[in-house]
Amino acid sequence: MDGYEARRLANIKRNAELVQDLGLEDSKPEQEAKPPAPSSKRRKLDPAPPTRTSRRLASATSRPATYNEDALIKQTVSDTRSSRAKTKNGARNKSQKTKTETAKRSTTASPAPAAKHPDLDTLRAGWTSWTPVAPPPTRDETTGKYHFTSHPDFRPNKSPESILREGAFGGTYFRPLFSKRLGTTIEDDWRELPSEWTSGGGINVEKQLTSTEYDPAVNKYGVSCGQSIEEWEAAGWIRHEYDVRGWFQWYCRFWLGRRLDDGSGEDERQISRWKKCVGETGRWRRILLKKYVQMGVRSVFDEDDDDEERGEVSPVVHQTCHHWAYEVRQEALDRFWAEGK
């Protein structure tokens, strides 16, 4: 084998020298470059443009927006779940604190630059130029509901004065309000309220009406709820030619005898919203009454009972209904236990 291996190596060396002498070492045909193998990974496609648009962005256009009760119901139910973590000593969980801080920021944020509405002076004049044409409502002592002669189907059981005195809107409803739609700040319109509503030490104006920071402790049920006026304006739910602050301002003026008989249907629109919220088939009313049944509570606590104990049944929904001039009464709770409506 040693001789064979020596001969093999000698032949290889001789053949290499021959190739070199003939100049054939570079004549080897080049191999064609192979195309790169296809990647096993699929190419990422460009994302398709969205087929749906945000309701908030869509409503910010110039076209009239519709009132969406379902969105507010979802928000209220979410808030109700968050409020369950509230302890009896008044401490709140992280979610509640975050919501409170958000509400504070919304009331104190610097206004964005905006052009003033071309008809601002006309709008301002319209807010205060009306005269009362309807008498004050009467009250049914049995049910506690108020009766308006012009609109018998509108039957709230809380007056605007009682809502404010008992505590609502975190004390911020009549704060200085910058309207992006109008390009100006609205303030001091709380002064159009009757003096008897704000006199006698019953209402602290700075704390309960015009505070720039939302304070849940001001509210009757001690919790924060609802959206800010800025959010309502962005959603297109405020008709500035009538009530720049929305529902509750409309209710105050309606209570005092204003009627909008200009063909706008604004009174009917606001009453329709009230019905959807807390009327006989109103969703928030039903949510609240269902909570009483689910928790096995058959009695509505009187005003003199402990606020903390009374607030154990859905304080956020209680406060929301309070803003909409509704409070659960024993007759309604008994009927719901018996008939489910």
Side-chain angles (χ1 to χ4, degrees), residues 160-209:
E161 180 182 1
S162 66
I163 292 172
L164 293 175
R165 286 186 180 275
E166 293 169 10
F169 308 107
T172 65
Y173 193 81
F174 286 100
R175 61 184 164 81
L177 169 69
F178 180 78
S179 167
K180 288 186 177 181
R181 296 292 178 88
L182 301 181
T184 191
T185 298
I186 310 300
E187 55 187 339
D188 290 334
D189 45 345
W190 67 271
R191 296 183 184 279
E192 73 178 60
L193 301 176
S195 59
E196 57 267 25
W197 290 11
T198 58
S199 62
I203 293 181
N204 182 323
V205 173
E206 292 183 357
K207 183 178 181 180
Q208 293 178 265
L209 298 185

Short mmCIF file of all heavy atoms in Angstrom, two decimals, residues 160-209:
data_model
loop_
_atom_site.label_atom_id
_atom_site.label_comp_id
_atom_site.label_asym_id
_atom_site.label_seq_id
_atom_site.Cartn_x
_atom_site.Cartn_y
_atom_site.Cartn_z
N PRO A 160 -84.21 70.76 40.50
CA PRO A 160 -82.84 71.23 40.28
C PRO A 160 -82.19 71.73 41.58
O PRO A 160 -81.02 71.48 41.84
CB PRO A 160 -83.01 72.36 39.27
CG PRO A 160 -84.28 72.08 38.57
CD PRO A 160 -85.16 71.43 39.60
N GLU A 161 -82.98 72.42 42.39
CA GLU A 161 -82.44 72.94 43.64
C GLU A 161 -81.97 71.81 44.56
O GLU A 161 -80.87 71.88 45.13
CB GLU A 161 -83.48 73.79 44.37
CG GLU A 161 -82.99 74.37 45.68
CD GLU A 161 -84.05 75.16 46.41
OE1 GLU A 161 -85.19 75.24 45.90
OE2 GLU A 161 -83.75 75.71 47.49
N SER A 162 -82.77 70.77 44.69
CA SER A 162 -82.39 69.67 45.58
C SER A 162 -81.17 68.92 45.05
O SER A 162 -80.32 68.47 45.83
CB SER A 162 -83.57 68.70 45.77
OG SER A 162 -83.89 68.05 44.54
N ILE A 163 -81.05 68.81 43.74
CA ILE A 163 -79.88 68.14 43.15
C ILE A 163 -78.60 68.89 43.53
O ILE A 163 -77.61 68.29 43.94
CB ILE A 163 -80.03 68.06 41.62
CG1 ILE A 163 -81.17 67.10 41.25
CG2 ILE A 163 -78.73 67.59 40.97
CD1 ILE A 163 -81.52 67.10 39.77
N LEU A 164 -78.65 70.22 43.41
CA LEU A 164 -77.47 71.02 43.73
C LEU A 164 -77.18 71.03 45.23
O LEU A 164 -76.03 70.94 45.66
CB LEU A 164 -77.66 72.45 43.22
CG LEU A 164 -77.70 72.62 41.70
CD1 LEU A 164 -78.01 74.07 41.33
CD2 LEU A 164 -76.39 72.18 41.06
N ARG A 165 -78.22 71.18 46.04
CA ARG A 165 -78.02 71.24 47.48
C ARG A 165 -77.47 69.92 48.04
O ARG A 165 -76.64 69.92 48.95
CB ARG A 165 -79.32 71.60 48.19
CG ARG A 165 -79.72 73.06 48.03
CD ARG A 165 -80.93 73.41 48.87
NE ARG A 165 -81.30 74.81 48.70
CZ ARG A 165 -80.77 75.81 49.39
NH1 ARG A 165 -79.84 75.55 50.30
NH2 ARG A 165 -81.16 77.06 49.19
N GLU A 166 -77.94 68.80 47.50
CA GLU A 166 -77.50 67.50 48.01
C GLU A 166 -76.13 67.12 47.48
O GLU A 166 -75.45 66.27 48.07
CB GLU A 166 -78.54 66.43 47.64
CG GLU A 166 -79.85 66.63 48.37
CD GLU A 166 -80.96 65.74 47.83
OE1 GLU A 166 -80.65 64.85 47.00
OE2 GLU A 166 -82.12 65.93 48.22
N GLY A 167 -75.69 67.72 46.38
CA GLY A 167 -74.35 67.49 45.87
C GLY A 167 -74.33 66.76 44.54
O GLY A 167 -74.80 65.62 44.44
N ALA A 168 -73.79 67.42 43.51
CA ALA A 168 -73.78 66.82 42.17
C ALA A 168 -72.63 67.38 41.34
O ALA A 168 -72.09 68.45 41.63
CB ALA A 168 -75.11 67.10 41.46
N PHE A 169 -72.25 66.61 40.32
CA PHE A 169 -71.25 67.02 39.32
C PHE A 169 -69.90 67.38 39.94
O PHE A 169 -69.14 68.15 39.36
CB PHE A 169 -71.78 68.20 38.49
CG PHE A 169 -73.13 67.96 37.90
CD1 PHE A 169 -74.26 68.60 38.42
CD2 PHE A 169 -73.31 67.09 36.84
CE1 PHE A 169 -75.52 68.38 37.88
CE2 PHE A 169 -74.57 66.86 36.30
CZ PHE A 169 -75.68 67.49 36.82
N GLY A 170 -69.61 66.83 41.11
CA GLY A 170 -68.34 67.10 41.75
C GLY A 170 -68.12 68.57 42.06
O GLY A 170 -66.99 69.00 42.28
N GLY A 171 -69.20 69.35 42.08
CA GLY A 171 -69.11 70.78 42.37
C GLY A 171 -68.62 71.64 41.22
O GLY A 171 -68.33 72.82 41.39
N THR A 172 -68.55 71.07 40.00
CA THR A 172 -67.91 71.78 38.87
C THR A 172 -68.87 72.20 37.76
O THR A 172 -68.42 72.75 36.75
CB THR A 172 -66.83 70.89 38.23
OG1 THR A 172 -67.47 69.73 37.64
CG2 THR A 172 -65.81 70.42 39.24
N TYR A 173 -70.17 71.98 37.93
CA TYR A 173 -71.06 72.17 36.78
C TYR A 173 -71.03 73.60 36.24
O TYR A 173 -71.03 73.80 35.02
CB TYR A 173 -72.50 71.78 37.16
CG TYR A 173 -73.39 71.66 35.95
CD1 TYR A 173 -73.39 70.51 35.18
CD2 TYR A 173 -74.23 72.71 35.54
CE1 TYR A 173 -74.18 70.39 34.05
CE2 TYR A 173 -75.02 72.61 34.42
CZ TYR A 173 -74.99 71.44 33.68
OH TYR A 173 -75.78 71.33 32.55
N PHE A 174 -70.99 74.59 37.08
CA PHE A 174 -71.02 75.98 36.64
C PHE A 174 -69.63 76.65 36.71
O PHE A 174 -69.54 77.87 36.78
CB PHE A 174 -72.03 76.78 37.45
CG PHE A 174 -73.46 76.48 37.09
CD1 PHE A 174 -74.23 75.63 37.88
CD2 PHE A 174 -74.04 77.03 35.96
CE1 PHE A 174 -75.55 75.34 37.55
CE2 PHE A 174 -75.36 76.75 35.62
CZ PHE A 174 -76.11 75.90 36.41
N ARG A 175 -68.59 75.84 36.67
CA ARG A 175 -67.23 76.39 36.64
C ARG A 175 -67.00 77.16 35.34
O ARG A 175 -67.74 76.97 34.35
CB ARG A 175 -66.21 75.26 36.73
CG ARG A 175 -66.33 74.27 35.57
CD ARG A 175 -65.39 73.11 35.75
NE ARG A 175 -65.76 72.01 34.88
CZ ARG A 175 -65.46 71.92 33.59
NH1 ARG A 175 -64.79 72.90 33.01
NH2 ARG A 175 -65.84 70.89 32.87
N PRO A 176 -65.97 78.02 35.26
CA PRO A 176 -65.61 78.64 33.99
C PRO A 176 -65.33 77.56 32.95
O PRO A 176 -64.49 76.67 33.17
CB PRO A 176 -64.35 79.45 34.32
CG PRO A 176 -64.50 79.75 35.78
CD PRO A 176 -65.16 78.54 36.39
N LEU A 177 -66.04 77.61 31.86
CA LEU A 177 -66.00 76.54 30.85
C LEU A 177 -65.54 77.09 29.51
O LEU A 177 -66.18 77.97 28.95
CB LEU A 177 -67.39 75.92 30.71
CG LEU A 177 -67.60 74.96 29.54
CD1 LEU A 177 -66.80 73.68 29.74
CD2 LEU A 177 -69.09 74.65 29.36
N PHE A 178 -64.43 76.58 29.02
CA PHE A 178 -63.97 76.98 27.69
C PHE A 178 -64.61 76.08 26.65
O PHE A 178 -64.42 74.87 26.66
CB PHE A 178 -62.45 76.91 27.58
CG PHE A 178 -61.96 77.33 26.20
CD1 PHE A 178 -61.89 78.67 25.86
CD2 PHE A 178 -61.61 76.37 25.26
CE1 PHE A 178 -61.45 79.05 24.60
CE2 PHE A 178 -61.18 76.75 23.99
CZ PHE A 178 -61.11 78.09 23.66
N SER A 179 -65.37 76.68 25.75
CA SER A 179 -66.03 75.94 24.69
C SER A 179 -65.21 76.02 23.41
O SER A 179 -64.98 77.10 22.88
CB SER A 179 -67.43 76.52 24.44
OG SER A 179 -67.97 76.01 23.23
N LYS A 180 -64.76 74.86 22.94
CA LYS A 180 -64.00 74.85 21.68
C LYS A 180 -64.89 75.21 20.50
O LYS A 180 -64.44 75.78 19.52
CB LYS A 180 -63.37 73.47 21.47
CG LYS A 180 -62.22 73.17 22.41
CD LYS A 180 -61.55 71.85 22.05
CE LYS A 180 -60.35 71.59 22.94
NZ LYS A 180 -59.68 70.31 22.60
N ARG A 181 -66.15 74.85 20.59
CA ARG A 181 -67.08 75.15 19.50
C ARG A 181 -67.35 76.65 19.38
O ARG A 181 -67.53 77.19 18.30
CB ARG A 181 -68.40 74.40 19.70
CG ARG A 181 -68.26 72.88 19.63
CD ARG A 181 -67.91 72.40 18.24
NE ARG A 181 -67.73 70.96 18.19
CZ ARG A 181 -68.71 70.09 17.96
NH1 ARG A 181 -69.95 70.54 17.77
NH2 ARG A 181 -68.48 68.81 17.93
N LEU A 182 -67.38 77.32 20.53
CA LEU A 182 -67.68 78.75 20.53
C LEU A 182 -66.42 79.61 20.57
O LEU A 182 -66.47 80.81 20.30
CB LEU A 182 -68.59 79.10 21.71
CG LEU A 182 -69.93 78.37 21.77
CD1 LEU A 182 -70.72 78.84 22.98
CD2 LEU A 182 -70.73 78.59 20.49
N GLY A 183 -65.29 79.01 20.96
CA GLY A 183 -64.04 79.75 21.02
C GLY A 183 -64.01 80.80 22.12
O GLY A 183 -63.36 81.84 21.99
N THR A 184 -64.72 80.54 23.21
CA THR A 184 -64.77 81.50 24.31
C THR A 184 -65.02 80.77 25.61
O THR A 184 -65.41 79.59 25.61
CB THR A 184 -65.87 82.55 24.08
OG1 THR A 184 -65.72 83.61 25.02
CG2 THR A 184 -67.25 81.94 24.22
N THR A 185 -64.81 81.48 26.73
CA THR A 185 -65.05 80.91 28.05
C THR A 185 -66.41 81.37 28.57
O THR A 185 -66.72 82.57 28.54
CB THR A 185 -63.95 81.32 29.03
OG1 THR A 185 -62.69 80.79 28.57
CG2 THR A 185 -64.23 80.78 30.43
N ILE A 186 -67.19 80.42 29.03
CA ILE A 186 -68.50 80.71 29.61
C ILE A 186 -68.36 80.70 31.14
O ILE A 186 -67.85 79.74 31.71
CB ILE A 186 -69.54 79.65 29.19
CG1 ILE A 186 -69.52 79.44 27.67
CG2 ILE A 186 -70.93 80.04 29.68
CD1 ILE A 186 -69.83 80.68 26.88
N GLU A 187 -68.79 81.75 31.78
CA GLU A 187 -68.69 81.82 33.24
C GLU A 187 -69.78 82.72 33.80
O GLU A 187 -70.41 83.50 33.08
CB GLU A 187 -67.32 82.32 33.67
CG GLU A 187 -66.91 83.65 33.09
CD GLU A 187 -65.47 84.02 33.43
OE1 GLU A 187 -64.93 83.47 34.42
OE2 GLU A 187 -64.89 84.84 32.71
N ASP A 188 -70.00 82.55 35.09
CA ASP A 188 -70.98 83.35 35.84
C ASP A 188 -72.43 83.12 35.42
O ASP A 188 -73.32 83.85 35.86
CB ASP A 188 -70.66 84.85 35.74
CG ASP A 188 -69.40 85.22 36.50
OD1 ASP A 188 -69.06 84.50 37.46
OD2 ASP A 188 -68.76 86.23 36.14
N ASP A 189 -72.69 82.10 34.57
CA ASP A 189 -74.09 81.86 34.21
C ASP A 189 -74.87 81.20 35.34
O ASP A 189 -76.08 81.09 35.26
CB ASP A 189 -74.19 81.02 32.92
CG ASP A 189 -73.25 79.84 32.89
OD1 ASP A 189 -72.32 79.80 33.71
OD2 ASP A 189 -73.44 78.95 32.04
N TRP A 190 -74.19 80.80 36.42
CA TRP A 190 -74.90 80.27 37.57
C TRP A 190 -75.73 81.36 38.24
O TRP A 190 -76.70 81.07 38.95
CB TRP A 190 -73.91 79.70 38.61
CG TRP A 190 -73.02 80.74 39.25
CD1 TRP A 190 -71.81 81.17 38.82
CD2 TRP A 190 -73.31 81.48 40.44
NE1 TRP A 190 -71.30 82.14 39.66
CE2 TRP A 190 -72.20 82.34 40.68
CE3 TRP A 190 -74.37 81.50 41.34
CZ2 TRP A 190 -72.14 83.20 41.77
CZ3 TRP A 190 -74.30 82.37 42.43
CH2 TRP A 190 -73.21 83.20 42.63
N ARG A 191 -75.40 82.62 37.96
CA ARG A 191 -76.11 83.74 38.59
C ARG A 191 -77.55 83.87 38.11
O ARG A 191 -78.35 84.58 38.74
CB ARG A 191 -75.35 85.04 38.35
CG ARG A 191 -73.96 85.05 38.99
CD ARG A 191 -73.25 86.38 38.79
NE ARG A 191 -71.90 86.36 39.32
CZ ARG A 191 -71.57 86.53 40.60
NH1 ARG A 191 -72.53 86.77 41.48
NH2 ARG A 191 -70.31 86.50 40.99
N GLU A 192 -77.89 83.19 37.03
CA GLU A 192 -79.28 83.24 36.57
C GLU A 192 -80.18 82.34 37.40
O GLU A 192 -81.41 82.41 37.28
CB GLU A 192 -79.38 82.85 35.09
CG GLU A 192 -79.18 81.37 34.82
CD GLU A 192 -79.33 81.03 33.34
OE1 GLU A 192 -78.57 81.58 32.52
OE2 GLU A 192 -80.20 80.22 33.03
N LEU A 193 -79.59 81.48 38.24
CA LEU A 193 -80.40 80.64 39.12
C LEU A 193 -81.11 81.51 40.15
O LEU A 193 -80.59 82.55 40.57
CB LEU A 193 -79.51 79.62 39.85
CG LEU A 193 -78.69 78.66 38.98
CD1 LEU A 193 -77.81 77.79 39.88
CD2 LEU A 193 -79.59 77.82 38.10
N PRO A 194 -82.30 81.14 40.55
CA PRO A 194 -83.01 81.92 41.57
C PRO A 194 -82.18 82.06 42.84
O PRO A 194 -81.50 81.12 43.26
CB PRO A 194 -84.27 81.09 41.82
CG PRO A 194 -84.46 80.29 40.57
CD PRO A 194 -83.09 79.99 40.08
N SER A 195 -82.22 83.22 43.44
CA SER A 195 -81.40 83.47 44.63
C SER A 195 -81.76 82.52 45.77
O SER A 195 -80.89 82.15 46.56
CB SER A 195 -81.59 84.93 45.08
OG SER A 195 -82.95 85.19 45.38
N GLU A 196 -83.03 82.08 45.84
CA GLU A 196 -83.40 81.18 46.93
C GLU A 196 -82.75 79.80 46.80
O GLU A 196 -82.66 79.06 47.78
CB GLU A 196 -84.93 81.02 47.01
CG GLU A 196 -85.59 80.52 45.74
CD GLU A 196 -86.07 81.65 44.86
OE1 GLU A 196 -85.51 82.76 44.96
OE2 GLU A 196 -87.03 81.42 44.08
N TRP A 197 -82.28 79.48 45.59
CA TRP A 197 -81.59 78.21 45.42
C TRP A 197 -80.19 78.25 46.02
O TRP A 197 -79.67 77.23 46.45
CB TRP A 197 -81.47 77.85 43.93
CG TRP A 197 -82.76 77.48 43.26
CD1 TRP A 197 -84.01 77.63 43.77
CD2 TRP A 197 -82.90 76.90 41.97
NE1 TRP A 197 -84.95 77.19 42.86
CE2 TRP A 197 -84.29 76.74 41.75
CE3 TRP A 197 -82.02 76.52 40.98
CZ2 TRP A 197 -84.80 76.21 40.57
CZ3 TRP A 197 -82.51 75.98 39.80
CH2 TRP A 197 -83.90 75.82 39.60
N THR A 198 -79.58 79.40 46.00
CA THR A 198 -78.18 79.50 46.44
C THR A 198 -78.00 80.28 47.74
O THR A 198 -76.88 80.46 48.20
CB THR A 198 -77.34 80.20 45.34
OG1 THR A 198 -77.90 81.50 45.07
CG2 THR A 198 -77.36 79.39 44.06
N SER A 199 -79.08 80.75 48.30
CA SER A 199 -78.98 81.54 49.54
C SER A 199 -79.31 80.68 50.75
O SER A 199 -79.66 79.51 50.62
CB SER A 199 -79.94 82.73 49.47
OG SER A 199 -81.28 82.28 49.37
N GLY A 200 -79.20 81.28 51.90
CA GLY A 200 -79.57 80.58 53.13
C GLY A 200 -78.53 79.60 53.63
O GLY A 200 -78.80 78.79 54.51
N GLY A 201 -77.35 79.64 53.06
CA GLY A 201 -76.28 78.75 53.53
C GLY A 201 -76.41 77.32 53.06
O GLY A 201 -75.62 76.46 53.45
N GLY A 202 -77.40 77.03 52.22
CA GLY A 202 -77.59 75.66 51.76
C GLY A 202 -76.58 75.23 50.71
O GLY A 202 -76.27 74.04 50.59
N ILE A 203 -76.07 76.18 49.93
CA ILE A 203 -75.13 75.86 48.87
C ILE A 203 -73.89 76.72 49.00
O ILE A 203 -73.99 77.95 49.10
CB ILE A 203 -75.76 76.06 47.48
CG1 ILE A 203 -76.87 75.03 47.24
CG2 ILE A 203 -74.71 75.94 46.38
CD1 ILE A 203 -77.53 75.16 45.88
N ASN A 204 -72.74 76.09 48.99
CA ASN A 204 -71.47 76.80 48.94
C ASN A 204 -71.11 76.93 47.46
O ASN A 204 -70.72 75.96 46.82
CB ASN A 204 -70.39 76.01 49.70
CG ASN A 204 -69.05 76.74 49.72
OD1 ASN A 204 -68.65 77.38 48.75
ND2 ASN A 204 -68.35 76.62 50.83
N VAL A 205 -71.27 78.14 46.91
CA VAL A 205 -71.11 78.34 45.47
C VAL A 205 -69.73 77.89 45.00
O VAL A 205 -69.60 77.18 44.00
CB VAL A 205 -71.36 79.82 45.09
CG1 VAL A 205 -71.01 80.06 43.62
CG2 VAL A 205 -72.81 80.19 45.36
N GLU A 206 -68.69 78.29 45.69
CA GLU A 206 -67.33 77.97 45.25
C GLU A 206 -67.04 76.48 45.32
O GLU A 206 -66.27 75.96 44.51
CB GLU A 206 -66.31 78.74 46.10
CG GLU A 206 -66.34 80.24 45.88
CD GLU A 206 -65.27 80.96 46.69
OE1 GLU A 206 -64.55 80.27 47.46
OE2 GLU A 206 -65.14 82.19 46.56
N LYS A 207 -67.65 75.80 46.26
CA LYS A 207 -67.38 74.37 46.42
C LYS A 207 -68.36 73.50 45.66
O LYS A 207 -67.97 72.45 45.12
CB LYS A 207 -67.44 74.02 47.92
CG LYS A 207 -67.10 72.57 48.22
CD LYS A 207 -67.12 72.31 49.72
CE LYS A 207 -66.75 70.85 50.02
NZ LYS A 207 -66.76 70.58 51.49
N GLN A 208 -69.63 73.91 45.57
CA GLN A 208 -70.66 73.05 45.00
C GLN A 208 -71.09 73.43 43.59
O GLN A 208 -71.76 72.64 42.93
CB GLN A 208 -71.89 73.03 45.91
CG GLN A 208 -71.64 72.37 47.25
CD GLN A 208 -72.86 72.41 48.14
OE1 GLN A 208 -73.00 73.31 48.97
NE2 GLN A 208 -73.75 71.45 47.96
N LEU A 209 -70.70 74.62 43.11
CA LEU A 209 -71.15 75.04 41.78
C LEU A 209 -70.00 75.38 40.84
O LEU A 209 -70.03 75.00 39.66
CB LEU A 209 -72.07 76.26 41.89
CG LEU A 209 -73.39 76.11 42.64
CD1 LEU A 209 -74.20 77.40 42.52
CD2 LEU A 209 -74.18 74.93 42.11
#
